[in-house]
Amino acid sequence: MDQLGCINAFICIVEQGSLHAAAVKLHQTDAAISKKLSRLEASLNIQLLERGHGNLKLTDVGQQYFLLCKDATEKIANAKQLVQQAVAIPQGALK
């Protein structure tokens, strides 16, 4: 399972407010996004979102998980940017 992909899908679902909007933003099908959410919840053995009649509501644990994951993914993005900048800077002696 692509854990990070599932976490990113979960974050997008919460931020967009629906599975469909997250699917559109991530250029994936509704079914693919739903499957990623189900896999994430199954791997954690807990329900993160309450689903019903087109409504999504974070569970208490889901809210905490969202905040921690959001922070972690931002840190990963910052780390990636730092590495990309370091690689872009020429190093060594010019000859």
Side-chain angles (χ1 to χ4, degrees):
M1 174 180 72
D2 174 21
Q3 184 92 14
L4 190 55
C6 293
I7 290 170
N8 284 329
F10 168 66
I11 290 170
C12 192
I13 292 165
V14 173
E15 290 178 340
Q16 297 300 309
S18 76
L19 291 167
H20 177 72
V24 170
K25 181 166 179 133
L26 296 174
H27 306 290
Q28 297 181 22
T29 64
D30 291 5
I33 295 297
S34 179
K35 189 176 247 183
K36 285 183 178 186
L37 176 60
S38 294
R39 284 182 179 164
L40 180 61
E41 289 178 328
S43 75
L44 297 170
N45 198 29
I46 194 153
Q47 186 176 4
L48 299 171
L49 287 168
E50 295 174 3
R51 305 167 202 45
H53 302 301
N55 296 344
L56 293 177
K57 183 180 178 221
L58 281 167
T59 62
D60 290 338
V61 172
Q63 177 67 36
Q64 294 171 9
Y65 188 75
F66 168 75
L67 294 173
L68 290 170
C69 287
K70 180 71 175 161
D71 183 52
T73 57
E74 287 172 357
K75 287 180 180 179
I76 290 169
N78 290 341
K80 183 178 178 182
Q81 184 179 14
L82 175 77
V83 170
Q84 289 173 336
Q85 288 173 349
V87 171
I89 298 171
Q91 296 181 357
L94 290 176
K95 294 185 180 184

